Amino acid sequence: MSKKFSILIKKKLKDFNQTLSVDKDKSITHRAFFLASQCQGISCIDGLESEDIFETINCLKNLGVRIFKKKNKYFVFGNGIGSLRKFKNIIYCGNSGTTARFFLGLLSTYQFPIKITGDASLSKRPMGRVIKYINKIGAEIVEAKNKFNLPLVIQGTNYPLAQQHILDVPSAQVKTAILLSALGTLGTTEIVENFDTRDHTEILLKYLGAPIRIKKIGNKKIISLRGCEEMQSFNINVPPDPSNACFFIVQTLCMKKSQIKLKNVCINYFRTGFIDILNKMGARIKVYNKRKIKGEYVADILVKSKRLKNISVPKSIIPRTIDELPILFVICGLSQGKAKFNGIAELRIKESDRIAAMEKGLNLIGIRTKSTKDTLTIYGNPNIKFQKKISLPTNLDHRIAMSFFILGQTLGVHMTIKGFESVNSSFPNFLKLQKKLGAKYEIKK
Ligand code: S3P
């Protein structure tokens, strides 16, 4: 766990013209480690190095998977499906919901009991959304805080039952947990998905030659995977994360006369709803040099400063921009007109209640908002001037910390952001890249 620190911003950022490479994709890196552990042979992963990823690596090591690092690459010794061993009684997932939910899926086909734990934020997050599916295949939760929270003890089954699962939440974590469970399940598991969630697991499984089939029927997707089939090891160089790129894109748009070029960003359709939203608001984000690497599209992105107009954002696009909503709220606060985000209830159960956290920050500097359980209205104010000193908590939530940072830098608000160490869970080089843009801040230990 990183040492606690706060960030103090006093000065407004000056215009910049830069080319950057943001940190690698967290979602793809998690999946690469999980799947490598189920392959036969040594896989080589050049991916994100952040706290959430270290939690996944440590948990896999505690389940008997040999992993070592040479330069910035990780070598995972996979012994195939069903090869995990209980080396420790407990695995600790830190702040990482992806790690915890993926392990619930993966461990559901192992008969040994094992305790899954996490930090204070993760212990509040709902695990019931995965548990209900693994219960169906025969796995049990023998102990859990409030029935569905960490810490919990899972006892999987040696005789999992392949069947059809209908997804009732727009969650790629739940979908992936079921796919990981399906890997160790004899027969064909079918998932019916009615939402647009990220498909990195399906892409990687396809690339590995796993017997996965995806059928589209109208807005519905039917994903079927035949389990207990061998997969061979692989090498992967994970592209930069669009969720990290988004902070720099918004920051550039909010300046007067700046420009940024971001190299090789993953532009998976299910991750780039924010580009569509920003373009609808009037941005002209150029996505070019598009190419496909190991099944995933990557491209360079060019952005120039531009004043935007707020819009109403429909529920249908939300799963494609779920992690970028906090930073989109920042740019809506600084743009003209009324913005309304619909169907965003999922945001209340992320690392923190992100609607409440962002409203608090925006309201403190004088931007009006109104919310219900699943909507947020922001009354933008492009001419806001704010002089007072403020201090903001981040509730162990990396995306809230980075969103406040961009808000503070853009306006030059005298702002203390507490718990900034949470940024290490997804984007350890965030401050280094901000320095490159010319950002001035103090670190308070
Ligand atoms: C993720 C899926 C999303 C996202 C999270 C990463 C993934 O969560 O918010 O940061 O890697 O599958 P949900 O699937 O719960 O929406």
Side-chain angles (χ1 to χ4, degrees):
M1 224 191 309
S2 320
K3 284 211 173 113
K4 287 189 175 175
F5 70 93
S6 301
I7 285 287
L8 173 63
I9 297 168
K10 287 186 199 156
K11 284 207 175 113
K12 196 170 167 158
L13 180 63
K14 295 204 178 106
D15 273 308
F16 52 81
N17 184 345
Q18 279 284 348
T19 299
L20 297 179
S21 219
V22 295
D23 286 6
K24 288 169 180 261
D25 195 274
K26 183 154 79 75
S27 290
I28 300 178
T29 308
H30 275 301
R31 284 156 173 82
F33 277 101
F34 273 88
L35 292 182
S37 77
Q38 301 304 299
C39 284
Q40 296 275 358
I42 307 170
S43 295
C44 173
I45 301 172
D46 185 351
L48 173 69
E49 290 190 88
S50 77
E51 291 216 333
D52 277 13
I53 299 299
F54 298 148
E55 307 299 3
T56 285
I57 294 174
N58 285 335
C59 291
L60 285 171
K61 283 184 175 170
N62 288 339
L63 290 162
V65 182
R66 198 175 151 218
I67 300 175
F68 76 83
K69 180 182 171 186
K70 204 169 169 192
K71 296 203 173 133
N72 52 345
K73 295 192 174 108
Y74 286 80
F75 295 86
V76 182
F77 290 63
N79 276 313
I81 289 161
S83 64
L84 298 182
R85 296 287 169 266
K86 189 181 168 182
F87 274 23
K88 295 256 168 83
N89 292 327
I90 298 182
I91 55 169
Y92 175 72
C93 304
N95 190 250
S96 175
T98 309
T99 308
R101 292 190 177 126
F102 286 10
F103 272 113
L104 277 173
L106 188 60
L107 290 168
S108 66
T109 56
Y110 286 84
Q111 191 125 42
F112 52 72
I114 191 147
K115 191 169 190 168
I116 306 181
T117 63
D119 73 3
S121 147
L122 186 56
S123 302
K124 283 192 211 142
R125 299 184 65 189
M127 296 296 145
R129 48 180 51 201
V130 179
I131 293 172
K132 65 189 258 196
Y133 295 106
I134 59 172
N135 276 161
K136 252 176 82 183
I137 66 143
E140 274 181 75
I141 301 302
V142 283
E143 218 180 285
K145 195 184 88 190
N146 309 327
K147 250 168 116 182
F148 297 116
N149 291 116
L150 302 189
L152 60 75
V153 177
I154 176 173
Q155 166 126 33
T157 170
N158 272 350
Y159 302 101
L161 195 65
Q163 56 202 287
Q164 188 188 66
H165 301 280
I166 301 170
L167 274 187
D168 58 4
V169 280
S171 168
Q173 289 181 352
V174 176
K175 175 175 63 177
T176 301
I178 302 174
L179 286 170
L180 289 168
S181 159
L183 277 181
T185 301
L186 210 55
T188 300
T189 298
E190 210 173 78
I191 303 172
V192 182
E193 193 185 30
N194 296 301
F195 315 94
D196 266 356
T197 71
R198 64 193 71 189
D199 61 351
H200 304 302
T201 316
E202 297 92 300
I203 289 176
L204 194 48
L205 281 169
K206 242 190 213 164
Y207 174 76
L208 296 178
I212 183 167
R213 285 182 52 197
I214 300 161
K215 243 193 310 186
K216 266 206 104 175
I217 306 172
N219 288 335
K220 207 188 269 181
K221 239 193 218 169
I222 301 179
I223 306 160
S224 42
L225 177 66
R226 202 171 67 240
C228 300
E229 299 276 339
E230 238 177 58
M231 298 180 296
Q232 293 307 313
S233 55
F234 60 97
N235 295 343
I236 188 167
N237 182 0
V238 177
D241 196 322
S243 303
N244 290 340
C246 187
F247 291 103
F248 288 82
I249 292 173
V250 164
Q251 187 171 27
T252 308
L253 286 166
C254 289
M255 300 296 293
K256 275 220 165 72
K257 229 179 155 200
S258 294
Q259 172 171 307
I260 205 160
K261 199 189 273 176
L262 300 166
K263 305 281 284 177
N264 304 320
V265 182
C266 167
I267 51 151
N268 179 304
Y269 170 77
F270 299 102
R271 302 287 303 282
T272 46
F274 72 92
I275 295 184
D276 299 343
I277 293 172
L278 289 169
N279 281 338
K280 274 235 163 74
M281 289 170 69
R284 278 191 222 104
I285 299 170
K286 192 173 162 199
V287 178
Y288 63 107
N289 200 8
K290 190 169 156 183
R291 56 224 181 265
K292 206 172 183 179
I293 301 176
K294 308 238 153 119
E296 292 281 2
Y297 282 104
V298 300
D300 299 334
I301 296 179
L302 178 72
V303 191
K304 292 181 183 170
S305 306
K306 184 114 197 295
R307 290 220 149 188
L308 305 186
K309 278 209 179 109
N310 281 327
I311 58 168
S312 180
V313 178
K315 183 178 175 180
S316 55
I317 201 171
I318 297 300
R320 291 180 53 226
T321 190
I322 190 73
D323 290 338
E324 297 74 43
L325 290 170
I327 186 63
L328 287 178
F329 297 161
V330 168
I331 195 162
C332 289
L334 304 177
S335 298
Q336 212 180 350
K338 182 172 103 176
K340 185 161 185 208
F341 289 83
N342 299 287
I344 56 170
E346 278 289 308
L347 219 53
R348 296 214 182 263
I349 48 170
K350 291 292 173 191
E351 283 81 335
S352 71
D353 177 342
R354 288 182 172 161
I355 300 176
M358 289 309 299
E359 276 198 283
K360 189 171 179 181
L362 292 172
N363 295 165
L364 257 181
I365 63 159
I367 294 166
R368 270 197 317 125
T369 61
K370 203 167 75 189
S371 66
T372 64
K373 194 168 164 268
D374 72 341
T375 66
L376 177 66
T377 306
I378 301 170
Y379 300 89
N381 183 352
N383 305 314
I384 192 121
K385 299 249 172 342
F386 186 79
Q387 310 272 312
K388 287 188 216 143
K389 293 182 181 178
I390 56 168
S391 173
L392 289 168
T394 53
N395 314 326
L396 296 175
D397 192 331
H398 51 137
R399 299 199 201 281
I400 297 300
M402 291 185 277
S403 299
F404 286 156
F405 187 95
I406 304 296
L407 181 65
Q409 286 285 339
T410 309
L411 295 175
V413 173
H414 191 296
M415 179 190 277
T416 302
I417 309 169
K418 292 189 189 148
F420 209 81
E421 71 284 355
S422 62
V423 167
N424 288 331
S425 67
S426 64
F427 198 169
N429 288 307
F430 178 80
L431 286 175
K432 202 162 120 194
L433 295 180
Q434 284 295 331
K435 264 225 163 97
K436 237 183 135 181
L437 294 190
K440 303 249 178 338
Y441 54 85
E442 287 170 31
I443 293 180
K444 303 264 178 203
K445 299 228 161 126

mmCIF file of all heavy atoms in Angstrom, residues 178-217:
data_model
loop_
_atom_site.group_PDB
_atom_site.id
_atom_site.type_symbol
_atom_site.label_atom_id
_atom_site.label_comp_id
_atom_site.label_asym_id
_atom_site.label_seq_id
_atom_site.Cartn_x
_atom_site.Cartn_y
_atom_site.Cartn_z
ATOM 1 N N ILE A 178 -17.946 -14.665 -14.796
ATOM 2 C CA ILE A 178 -18.646 -15.859 -15.301
ATOM 3 C C ILE A 178 -17.783 -16.575 -16.345
ATOM 4 O O ILE A 178 -17.696 -17.803 -16.363
ATOM 5 C CB ILE A 178 -20.036 -15.498 -15.886
ATOM 6 C CG1 ILE A 178 -20.908 -14.813 -14.824
ATOM 7 C CG2 ILE A 178 -20.744 -16.743 -16.426
ATOM 8 C CD1 ILE A 178 -22.243 -14.288 -15.351
ATOM 9 N N LEU A 179 -17.105 -15.810 -17.195
ATOM 10 C CA LEU A 179 -16.252 -16.439 -18.213
ATOM 11 C C LEU A 179 -15.089 -17.204 -17.565
ATOM 12 O O LEU A 179 -14.703 -18.280 -18.015
ATOM 13 C CB LEU A 179 -15.730 -15.391 -19.195
ATOM 14 C CG LEU A 179 -16.765 -14.867 -20.208
ATOM 15 C CD1 LEU A 179 -16.237 -13.656 -20.975
ATOM 16 C CD2 LEU A 179 -17.154 -15.976 -21.208
ATOM 17 N N LEU A 180 -14.532 -16.631 -16.477
ATOM 18 C CA LEU A 180 -13.426 -17.317 -15.791
ATOM 19 C C LEU A 180 -13.925 -18.596 -15.127
ATOM 20 O O LEU A 180 -13.221 -19.608 -15.088
ATOM 21 C CB LEU A 180 -12.778 -16.385 -14.757
ATOM 22 C CG LEU A 180 -11.969 -15.224 -15.358
ATOM 23 C CD1 LEU A 180 -11.602 -14.199 -14.302
ATOM 24 C CD2 LEU A 180 -10.709 -15.739 -16.053
ATOM 25 N N SER A 181 -15.143 -18.544 -14.620
ATOM 26 C CA SER A 181 -15.746 -19.735 -14.043
ATOM 27 C C SER A 181 -16.020 -20.766 -15.150
ATOM 28 O O SER A 181 -15.795 -21.969 -14.979
ATOM 29 C CB SER A 181 -17.026 -19.308 -13.328
ATOM 30 O OG SER A 181 -17.886 -20.360 -13.151
ATOM 31 N N ALA A 182 -16.454 -20.266 -16.310
ATOM 32 C CA ALA A 182 -16.765 -21.161 -17.441
ATOM 33 C C ALA A 182 -15.522 -21.888 -17.944
ATOM 34 O O ALA A 182 -15.609 -23.018 -18.432
ATOM 35 C CB ALA A 182 -17.384 -20.353 -18.582
ATOM 36 N N LEU A 183 -14.348 -21.250 -17.794
ATOM 37 C CA LEU A 183 -13.106 -21.897 -18.248
ATOM 38 C C LEU A 183 -12.907 -23.241 -17.551
ATOM 39 O O LEU A 183 -12.413 -24.184 -18.154
ATOM 40 C CB LEU A 183 -11.901 -20.998 -17.933
ATOM 41 C CG LEU A 183 -11.547 -19.877 -18.903
ATOM 42 C CD1 LEU A 183 -10.312 -19.142 -18.394
ATOM 43 C CD2 LEU A 183 -11.307 -20.407 -20.310
ATOM 44 N N GLY A 184 -13.284 -23.303 -16.267
ATOM 45 C CA GLY A 184 -13.088 -24.540 -15.503
ATOM 46 C C GLY A 184 -14.338 -25.401 -15.433
ATOM 47 O O GLY A 184 -14.423 -26.279 -14.576
ATOM 48 N N THR A 185 -15.298 -25.124 -16.277
ATOM 49 C CA THR A 185 -16.570 -25.859 -16.258
ATOM 50 C C THR A 185 -16.700 -26.714 -17.518
ATOM 51 O O THR A 185 -16.619 -26.179 -18.633
ATOM 52 C CB THR A 185 -17.755 -24.849 -16.185
ATOM 53 O OG1 THR A 185 -17.603 -24.059 -15.007
ATOM 54 C CG2 THR A 185 -19.097 -25.557 -16.143
ATOM 55 N N LEU A 186 -16.902 -27.985 -17.326
ATOM 56 C CA LEU A 186 -17.065 -28.882 -18.471
ATOM 57 C C LEU A 186 -18.371 -28.545 -19.193
ATOM 58 O O LEU A 186 -19.385 -28.319 -18.543
ATOM 59 C CB LEU A 186 -17.117 -30.323 -17.939
ATOM 60 C CG LEU A 186 -16.590 -31.424 -18.856
ATOM 61 C CD1 LEU A 186 -15.158 -31.154 -19.308
ATOM 62 C CD2 LEU A 186 -16.662 -32.761 -18.133
ATOM 63 N N GLY A 187 -18.335 -28.502 -20.510
ATOM 64 C CA GLY A 187 -19.543 -28.168 -21.274
ATOM 65 C C GLY A 187 -19.552 -26.696 -21.664
ATOM 66 O O GLY A 187 -18.569 -25.981 -21.445
ATOM 67 N N THR A 188 -20.666 -26.251 -22.232
ATOM 68 C CA THR A 188 -20.731 -24.877 -22.739
ATOM 69 C C THR A 188 -21.557 -23.983 -21.829
ATOM 70 O O THR A 188 -22.715 -24.268 -21.528
ATOM 71 C CB THR A 188 -21.320 -24.875 -24.167
ATOM 72 O OG1 THR A 188 -20.466 -25.672 -24.991
ATOM 73 C CG2 THR A 188 -21.394 -23.473 -24.748
ATOM 74 N N THR A 189 -20.919 -22.902 -21.381
ATOM 75 C CA THR A 189 -21.615 -21.880 -20.585
ATOM 76 C C THR A 189 -22.055 -20.789 -21.544
ATOM 77 O O THR A 189 -21.312 -20.395 -22.453
ATOM 78 C CB THR A 189 -20.655 -21.285 -19.524
ATOM 79 O OG1 THR A 189 -20.261 -22.332 -18.656
ATOM 80 C CG2 THR A 189 -21.305 -20.165 -18.730
ATOM 81 N N GLU A 190 -23.278 -20.273 -21.316
ATOM 82 C CA GLU A 190 -23.793 -19.227 -22.193
ATOM 83 C C GLU A 190 -24.117 -17.996 -21.357
ATOM 84 O O GLU A 190 -24.708 -18.111 -20.287
ATOM 85 C CB GLU A 190 -25.060 -19.757 -22.866
ATOM 86 C CG GLU A 190 -25.286 -19.180 -24.231
ATOM 87 C CD GLU A 190 -26.448 -19.858 -24.934
ATOM 88 O OE1 GLU A 190 -27.598 -19.541 -24.604
ATOM 89 O OE2 GLU A 190 -26.184 -20.702 -25.805
ATOM 90 N N ILE A 191 -23.711 -16.834 -21.859
ATOM 91 C CA ILE A 191 -24.042 -15.578 -21.165
ATOM 92 C C ILE A 191 -24.891 -14.736 -22.101
ATOM 93 O O ILE A 191 -24.521 -14.514 -23.258
ATOM 94 C CB ILE A 191 -22.757 -14.790 -20.793
ATOM 95 C CG1 ILE A 191 -21.837 -15.648 -19.927
ATOM 96 C CG2 ILE A 191 -23.103 -13.482 -20.086
ATOM 97 C CD1 ILE A 191 -20.483 -15.028 -19.666
ATOM 98 N N VAL A 192 -26.023 -14.261 -21.591
ATOM 99 C CA VAL A 192 -26.859 -13.366 -22.388
ATOM 100 C C VAL A 192 -26.652 -11.962 -21.843
ATOM 101 O O VAL A 192 -26.889 -11.691 -20.663
ATOM 102 C CB VAL A 192 -28.348 -13.771 -22.291
ATOM 103 C CG1 VAL A 192 -29.206 -12.851 -23.158
ATOM 104 C CG2 VAL A 192 -28.536 -15.227 -22.689
ATOM 105 N N GLU A 193 -26.173 -11.063 -22.710
ATOM 106 C CA GLU A 193 -25.849 -9.705 -22.269
ATOM 107 C C GLU A 193 -26.712 -8.691 -23.015
ATOM 108 O O GLU A 193 -26.753 -8.694 -24.246
ATOM 109 C CB GLU A 193 -24.360 -9.436 -22.534
ATOM 110 C CG GLU A 193 -23.867 -8.189 -21.844
ATOM 111 C CD GLU A 193 -22.427 -7.821 -22.171
ATOM 112 O OE1 GLU A 193 -21.954 -8.124 -23.284
ATOM 113 O OE2 GLU A 193 -21.785 -7.210 -21.308
ATOM 114 N N ASN A 194 -27.374 -7.836 -22.247
ATOM 115 C CA ASN A 194 -28.233 -6.819 -22.883
ATOM 116 C C ASN A 194 -27.617 -5.432 -22.839
ATOM 117 O O ASN A 194 -28.293 -4.452 -23.134
ATOM 118 C CB ASN A 194 -29.582 -6.760 -22.153
ATOM 119 C CG ASN A 194 -30.332 -8.055 -22.279
ATOM 120 O OD1 ASN A 194 -30.620 -8.490 -23.383
ATOM 121 N ND2 ASN A 194 -30.616 -8.698 -21.153
ATOM 122 N N PHE A 195 -26.366 -5.339 -22.404
ATOM 123 C CA PHE A 195 -25.733 -4.020 -22.261
ATOM 124 C C PHE A 195 -24.436 -3.980 -23.066
ATOM 125 O O PHE A 195 -23.862 -5.010 -23.372
ATOM 126 C CB PHE A 195 -25.388 -3.743 -20.798
ATOM 127 C CG PHE A 195 -26.478 -4.090 -19.830
ATOM 128 C CD1 PHE A 195 -26.514 -5.323 -19.201
ATOM 129 C CD2 PHE A 195 -27.475 -3.169 -19.546
ATOM 130 C CE1 PHE A 195 -27.514 -5.652 -18.305
ATOM 131 C CE2 PHE A 195 -28.489 -3.475 -18.654
ATOM 132 C CZ PHE A 195 -28.508 -4.721 -18.033
ATOM 133 N N ASP A 196 -23.973 -2.748 -23.304
ATOM 134 C CA ASP A 196 -22.728 -2.531 -24.050
ATOM 135 C C ASP A 196 -21.532 -2.484 -23.114
ATOM 136 O O ASP A 196 -21.021 -1.407 -22.835
ATOM 137 C CB ASP A 196 -22.824 -1.163 -24.744
ATOM 138 C CG ASP A 196 -23.329 -1.293 -26.153
ATOM 139 O OD1 ASP A 196 -23.537 -2.411 -26.618
ATOM 140 O OD2 ASP A 196 -23.510 -0.224 -26.786
ATOM 141 N N THR A 197 -21.046 -3.597 -22.571
ATOM 142 C CA THR A 197 -19.901 -3.485 -21.656
ATOM 143 C C THR A 197 -18.608 -3.923 -22.348
ATOM 144 O O THR A 197 -18.641 -4.653 -23.344
ATOM 145 C CB THR A 197 -20.092 -4.340 -20.376
ATOM 146 O OG1 THR A 197 -19.980 -5.709 -20.735
ATOM 147 C CG2 THR A 197 -21.429 -4.073 -19.731
ATOM 148 N N ARG A 198 -17.496 -3.488 -21.786
ATOM 149 C CA ARG A 198 -16.188 -3.744 -22.420
ATOM 150 C C ARG A 198 -15.988 -5.231 -22.695
ATOM 151 O O ARG A 198 -16.382 -6.082 -21.886
ATOM 152 C CB ARG A 198 -15.066 -3.154 -21.561
ATOM 153 C CG ARG A 198 -14.909 -3.771 -20.215
ATOM 154 C CD ARG A 198 -13.993 -2.941 -19.317
ATOM 155 N NE ARG A 198 -14.647 -1.697 -18.922
ATOM 156 C CZ ARG A 198 -14.052 -0.689 -18.290
ATOM 157 N NH1 ARG A 198 -12.776 -0.766 -17.977
ATOM 158 N NH2 ARG A 198 -14.709 0.396 -17.967
ATOM 159 N N ASP A 199 -15.347 -5.525 -23.845
ATOM 160 C CA ASP A 199 -15.247 -6.926 -24.288
ATOM 161 C C ASP A 199 -13.801 -7.415 -24.365
ATOM 162 O O ASP A 199 -13.467 -8.275 -25.172
ATOM 163 C CB ASP A 199 -15.940 -7.091 -25.647
ATOM 164 C CG ASP A 199 -15.305 -6.223 -26.736
ATOM 165 O OD1 ASP A 199 -14.451 -5.376 -26.410
ATOM 166 O OD2 ASP A 199 -15.654 -6.398 -27.916
ATOM 167 N N HIS A 200 -12.929 -6.869 -23.490
ATOM 168 C CA HIS A 200 -11.513 -7.271 -23.546
ATOM 169 C C HIS A 200 -11.313 -8.769 -23.283
ATOM 170 O O HIS A 200 -10.422 -9.379 -23.855
ATOM 171 C CB HIS A 200 -10.691 -6.500 -22.514
ATOM 172 C CG HIS A 200 -10.795 -5.021 -22.631
ATOM 173 N ND1 HIS A 200 -10.462 -4.337 -23.769
ATOM 174 C CD2 HIS A 200 -11.200 -4.073 -21.735
ATOM 175 C CE1 HIS A 200 -10.645 -3.043 -23.567
ATOM 176 N NE2 HIS A 200 -11.093 -2.865 -22.354
ATOM 177 N N THR A 201 -12.137 -9.343 -22.386
ATOM 178 C CA THR A 201 -11.959 -10.771 -22.070
ATOM 179 C C THR A 201 -12.273 -11.612 -23.297
ATOM 180 O O THR A 201 -11.526 -12.541 -23.638
ATOM 181 C CB THR A 201 -12.894 -11.181 -20.912
ATOM 182 O OG1 THR A 201 -12.828 -10.179 -19.912
ATOM 183 C CG2 THR A 201 -12.496 -12.523 -20.331
ATOM 184 N N GLU A 202 -13.390 -11.276 -23.969
ATOM 185 C CA GLU A 202 -13.782 -12.042 -25.147
ATOM 186 C C GLU A 202 -12.690 -11.926 -26.219
ATOM 187 O O GLU A 202 -12.319 -12.919 -26.863
ATOM 188 C CB GLU A 202 -15.106 -11.509 -25.723
ATOM 189 C CG GLU A 202 -16.309 -11.639 -24.786
ATOM 190 C CD GLU A 202 -16.530 -10.403 -23.925
ATOM 191 O OE1 GLU A 202 -15.625 -10.044 -23.154
ATOM 192 O OE2 GLU A 202 -17.608 -9.796 -23.997
ATOM 193 N N ILE A 203 -12.158 -10.698 -26.398
ATOM 194 C CA ILE A 203 -11.125 -10.475 -27.424
ATOM 195 C C ILE A 203 -9.882 -11.315 -27.124
ATOM 196 O O ILE A 203 -9.334 -11.984 -28.005
ATOM 197 C CB ILE A 203 -10.776 -8.965 -27.515
ATOM 198 C CG1 ILE A 203 -11.947 -8.203 -28.157
ATOM 199 C CG2 ILE A 203 -9.485 -8.733 -28.298
ATOM 200 C CD1 ILE A 203 -11.773 -6.702 -28.224
ATOM 201 N N LEU A 204 -9.452 -11.310 -25.860
ATOM 202 C CA LEU A 204 -8.231 -12.053 -25.511
ATOM 203 C C LEU A 204 -8.472 -13.562 -25.619
ATOM 204 O O LEU A 204 -7.617 -14.307 -26.124
ATOM 205 C CB LEU A 204 -7.760 -11.646 -24.108
ATOM 206 C CG LEU A 204 -6.356 -12.057 -23.688
ATOM 207 C CD1 LEU A 204 -5.309 -11.734 -24.751
ATOM 208 C CD2 LEU A 204 -5.952 -11.384 -22.379
ATOM 209 N N LEU A 205 -9.643 -14.015 -25.175
ATOM 210 C CA LEU A 205 -9.940 -15.457 -25.285
ATOM 211 C C LEU A 205 -9.938 -15.891 -26.752
ATOM 212 O O LEU A 205 -9.403 -16.934 -27.107
ATOM 213 C CB LEU A 205 -11.298 -15.768 -24.638
ATOM 214 C CG LEU A 205 -11.298 -15.872 -23.106
ATOM 215 C CD1 LEU A 205 -12.721 -15.910 -22.564
ATOM 216 C CD2 LEU A 205 -10.519 -17.103 -22.631
ATOM 217 N N LYS A 206 -10.523 -15.052 -27.602
ATOM 218 C CA LYS A 206 -10.551 -15.361 -29.039
ATOM 219 C C LYS A 206 -9.131 -15.441 -29.579
ATOM 220 O O LYS A 206 -8.770 -16.360 -30.303
ATOM 221 C CB LYS A 206 -11.289 -14.230 -29.768
ATOM 222 C CG LYS A 206 -12.524 -14.720 -30.465
ATOM 223 C CD LYS A 206 -13.064 -13.629 -31.343
ATOM 224 C CE LYS A 206 -14.562 -13.721 -31.403
ATOM 225 N NZ LYS A 206 -15.174 -12.525 -31.911
ATOM 226 N N TYR A 207 -8.315 -14.464 -29.195
ATOM 227 C CA TYR A 207 -6.925 -14.428 -29.649
ATOM 228 C C TYR A 207 -6.175 -15.693 -29.207
ATOM 229 O O TYR A 207 -5.322 -16.210 -29.919
ATOM 230 C CB TYR A 207 -6.248 -13.160 -29.116
ATOM 231 C CG TYR A 207 -4.784 -13.114 -29.424
ATOM 232 C CD1 TYR A 207 -4.341 -12.814 -30.712
ATOM 233 C CD2 TYR A 207 -3.833 -13.420 -28.447
ATOM 234 C CE1 TYR A 207 -2.988 -12.817 -31.012
ATOM 235 C CE2 TYR A 207 -2.482 -13.425 -28.738
ATOM 236 C CZ TYR A 207 -2.065 -13.125 -30.023
ATOM 237 O OH TYR A 207 -0.749 -13.137 -30.323
ATOM 238 N N LEU A 208 -6.522 -16.201 -28.037
ATOM 239 C CA LEU A 208 -5.858 -17.406 -27.512
ATOM 240 C C LEU A 208 -6.398 -18.688 -28.129
ATOM 241 O O LEU A 208 -5.970 -19.778 -27.782
ATOM 242 C CB LEU A 208 -6.011 -17.470 -25.982
ATOM 243 C CG LEU A 208 -5.331 -16.347 -25.208
ATOM 244 C CD1 LEU A 208 -5.588 -16.484 -23.725
ATOM 245 C CD2 LEU A 208 -3.830 -16.350 -25.475
ATOM 246 N N GLY A 209 -7.400 -18.545 -28.975
ATOM 247 C CA GLY A 209 -7.952 -19.712 -29.653
ATOM 248 C C GLY A 209 -8.944 -20.487 -28.789
ATOM 249 O O GLY A 209 -9.262 -21.645 -29.087
ATOM 250 N N ALA A 210 -9.435 -19.868 -27.706
ATOM 251 C CA ALA A 210 -10.421 -20.550 -26.854
ATOM 252 C C ALA A 210 -11.722 -20.731 -27.637
ATOM 253 O O ALA A 210 -12.045 -19.903 -28.500
ATOM 254 C CB ALA A 210 -10.672 -19.727 -25.594
ATOM 255 N N PRO A 211 -12.486 -21.803 -27.341
ATOM 256 C CA PRO A 211 -13.736 -22.025 -28.077
ATOM 257 C C PRO A 211 -14.850 -21.097 -27.613
ATOM 258 O O PRO A 211 -15.789 -21.501 -26.954
ATOM 259 C CB PRO A 211 -14.064 -23.491 -27.784
ATOM 260 C CG PRO A 211 -13.278 -23.847 -26.582
ATOM 261 C CD PRO A 211 -12.171 -22.882 -26.399
ATOM 262 N N ILE A 212 -14.721 -19.822 -27.975
ATOM 263 C CA ILE A 212 -15.715 -18.811 -27.590
ATOM 264 C C ILE A 212 -16.464 -18.365 -28.839
ATOM 265 O O ILE A 212 -15.857 -18.182 -29.900
ATOM 266 C CB ILE A 212 -15.034 -17.616 -26.861
ATOM 267 C CG1 ILE A 212 -16.092 -16.600 -26.388
ATOM 268 C CG2 ILE A 212 -13.975 -16.926 -27.705
ATOM 269 C CD1 ILE A 212 -15.556 -15.573 -25.417
ATOM 270 N N ARG A 213 -17.782 -18.218 -28.702
ATOM 271 C CA ARG A 213 -18.577 -17.742 -29.838
ATOM 272 C C ARG A 213 -19.469 -16.601 -29.384
ATOM 273 O O ARG A 213 -20.018 -16.642 -28.283
ATOM 274 C CB ARG A 213 -19.428 -18.872 -30.400
ATOM 275 C CG ARG A 213 -18.563 -19.842 -31.204
ATOM 276 C CD ARG A 213 -19.354 -20.946 -31.815
ATOM 277 N NE ARG A 213 -20.504 -20.460 -32.582
ATOM 278 C CZ ARG A 213 -21.522 -21.247 -32.941
ATOM 279 N NH1 ARG A 213 -21.539 -22.500 -32.591
ATOM 280 N NH2 ARG A 213 -22.513 -20.759 -33.643
ATOM 281 N N ILE A 214 -19.575 -15.583 -30.236
ATOM 282 C CA ILE A 214 -20.410 -14.434 -29.873
ATOM 283 C C ILE A 214 -21.436 -14.213 -30.976
ATOM 284 O O ILE A 214 -21.074 -14.061 -32.145
ATOM 285 C CB ILE A 214 -19.527 -13.182 -29.665
ATOM 286 C CG1 ILE A 214 -18.535 -13.467 -28.536
ATOM 287 C CG2 ILE A 214 -20.384 -11.951 -29.324
ATOM 288 C CD1 ILE A 214 -17.352 -12.577 -28.497
ATOM 289 N N LYS A 215 -22.702 -14.235 -30.566
ATOM 290 C CA LYS A 215 -23.789 -14.027 -31.532
ATOM 291 C C LYS A 215 -24.495 -12.751 -31.153
ATOM 292 O O LYS A 215 -24.765 -12.506 -29.968
ATOM 293 C CB LYS A 215 -24.783 -15.200 -31.421
ATOM 294 C CG LYS A 215 -24.878 -16.014 -32.690
ATOM 295 C CD LYS A 215 -26.046 -16.979 -32.730
ATOM 296 C CE LYS A 215 -26.215 -17.865 -31.536
ATOM 297 N NZ LYS A 215 -27.184 -18.874 -31.508
ATOM 298 N N LYS A 216 -24.795 -11.908 -32.154
ATOM 299 C CA LYS A 216 -25.551 -10.671 -31.859
ATOM 300 C C LYS A 216 -26.962 -10.846 -32.361
ATOM 301 O O LYS A 216 -27.177 -11.190 -33.524
ATOM 302 C CB LYS A 216 -24.883 -9.484 -32.534
ATOM 303 C CG LYS A 216 -23.931 -8.757 -31.633
ATOM 304 C CD LYS A 216 -23.754 -7.310 -32.003
ATOM 305 C CE LYS A 216 -24.535 -6.470 -31.003
ATOM 306 N NZ LYS A 216 -24.392 -5.073 -31.128
ATOM 307 N N ILE A 217 -27.933 -10.634 -31.491
ATOM 308 C CA ILE A 217 -29.324 -10.681 -31.931
ATOM 309 C C ILE A 217 -29.944 -9.367 -31.479
ATOM 310 O O ILE A 217 -30.207 -9.164 -30.298
ATOM 311 C CB ILE A 217 -30.089 -11.870 -31.309
ATOM 312 C CG1 ILE A 217 -29.336 -13.181 -31.575
ATOM 313 C CG2 ILE A 217 -31.522 -11.928 -31.812
ATOM 314 C CD1 ILE A 217 -29.884 -14.383 -30.867
#
